[in-house]
Amino acid sequence: MQILGIRLKKAGKLLFYEPNEEELIKGDWVIVETSRGLECGKIVLAPRELADEENIESEPGVPLKKIQRKATEDDLIMLEENRAAEKRAFEICLEKIAEHRLPMKLINVEYTFDVNKIIFFFTADGRVDFRNLVRDLAAIFHTRIELRQVGVRDEAKLLGGMGGCGRPLCCATFLGEFIPVSIRMAKDQNLSLNPTKISGVCGRLMCCLKYENDLYCENCPRQTVTFKPRQGSRVVVAEGEGKVVAVSFSRRNATILLDTNKTVVAGWEDILPVNAEDFEAVEEPAQVEEPPKVEETKTFDEPQPAEKYGRPRRVDAFNRRYSRTENFERNNHPERPTKPHGDKTRRQPRRDYKK
């Protein structure tokens, strides 16, 4: 079975389909069926054979589908008309949002190829009640209307822009899906943890932190070298013996402070440990065996040693206060005489002395 990759828009998600009987090559426009309806996309991956162990779907949860047909000139003209209609729909939606005074920001508008649905993308701080807005838009366009709230990453992908490096945003040019990025990646690369330095236009961590992160992993095949220096270890280089003060995983070199107070930069292949024991300690961390736990029974009848509890315990005061003799007397003291409840005399009424 053969498959090919299709993108519905620039930097969109890569979808896989099975080719039909027509001859298709990379760069052709085709009509495919998606969950939103018929769409026109461009082939970005040439047809290739699908291995038996591979399980590829057209969309998440949708089995592999076939391409409907190859796009004609009329289809491409209709695609351009839809792009022009999206701009007009964007302006109309902005007017309706201002009319209803909704706290939302319109980002983009997309038409399906068969104009069966119009999707409006927006951002908002919280939930927005846009039911009246949907009724007004459906009365104007006479088709299905969908309003989809997106996050800040999707907003940057749809709008585009320039990154801190001076180039267009990666998510808007070639990244089909967002890759997970964590602050741990910045720490492993010895980058500054200043949020303004490692955040992108969207305010989240930059996607490019993932690009070189594989060079810093221990299981990377490119890192299999004779000696991987560790910061603070003693090493020997051509200029002499010194101490490693910094390690660069991307350039595969280390900065060494020699005993002569001279700093040199040498590659990992040109660095040797001082002795073989240091080499083994760097590659395989030493394992410390924990002593077995022994259950101890604490008794307060006898004084405990001071080195065990840190300070002597006043056992004599404890025994004097809670001695067995006092406890025995307290538990066996004679009972107090109590009057039965029925013998209680009734109070006599007050006498009238005036009579």
Side-chain angles (χ1 to χ4, degrees), residues 157-295:
K157 184 180 181 66
L158 294 173
L159 296 179
M162 303 296 292
C165 58
R167 298 178 60 86
L169 299 180
C170 300
C171 57
T173 51
F174 63 89
L175 282 182
E177 297 181 1
F178 291 107
I179 52 181
V181 184
S182 63
I183 194 66
R184 185 67 184 177
M185 298 178 181
K187 292 182 179 179
D188 293 341
Q189 301 177 37
N190 293 330
L191 298 177
S192 173
L193 300 183
N194 188 357
T196 59
K197 299 292 184 181
I198 59 178
S199 300
V201 176
C202 58
R204 300 292 188 268
L205 293 175
M206 293 188 295
C207 298
C208 55
L209 294 177
K210 177 69 176 177
Y211 299 161
E212 298 181 1
N213 186 65
D214 296 338
L215 297 176
Y216 295 80
C217 64
E218 296 182 358
N219 300 327
C220 184
R222 294 181 57 185
Q223 276 190 319
T224 306
V225 295
T226 304
F227 173 66
K228 182 176 66 174
R230 183 178 57 182
Q231 188 172 356
S233 60
R234 300 282 299 179
V235 295
V236 178
V237 292
E239 290 80 1
E241 184 177 342
K243 179 181 179 181
V244 179
V245 295
V247 180
S248 176
F249 290 84
S250 59
R251 296 183 177 86
R252 296 166 61 83
N253 57 23
T255 304
I256 303 169
L257 178 62
L258 301 178
D259 296 338
T260 58
N261 293 332
K262 181 181 178 181
T263 304
V264 296
V265 178
W268 289 2
E269 292 78 6
D270 301 332
I271 300 175
L272 295 177
V274 174
N275 48 49
E277 296 179 358
D278 294 341
F279 177 81
E280 296 293 337
V282 171
E283 296 295 330
E284 299 180 1
Q287 298 180 357
V288 181
E289 297 183 0
E290 298 182 358
K293 296 182 179 181
V294 179
E295 297 183 358

Side-chain angles (χ1 to χ4, degrees), residues 122-152:
F122 71 95
T123 58
D125 295 335
R127 298 178 61 88
V128 180
D129 186 7
F130 47 75
R131 290 175 291 182
N132 296 330
L133 176 62
V134 173
R135 296 191 191 98
D136 293 347
L137 295 177
I140 295 174
F141 298 105
H142 303 285
T143 185
R144 295 176 57 188
I145 303 297
E146 179 181 349
L147 271 75
R148 185 176 301 177
Q149 186 173 357
V150 298
V152 291

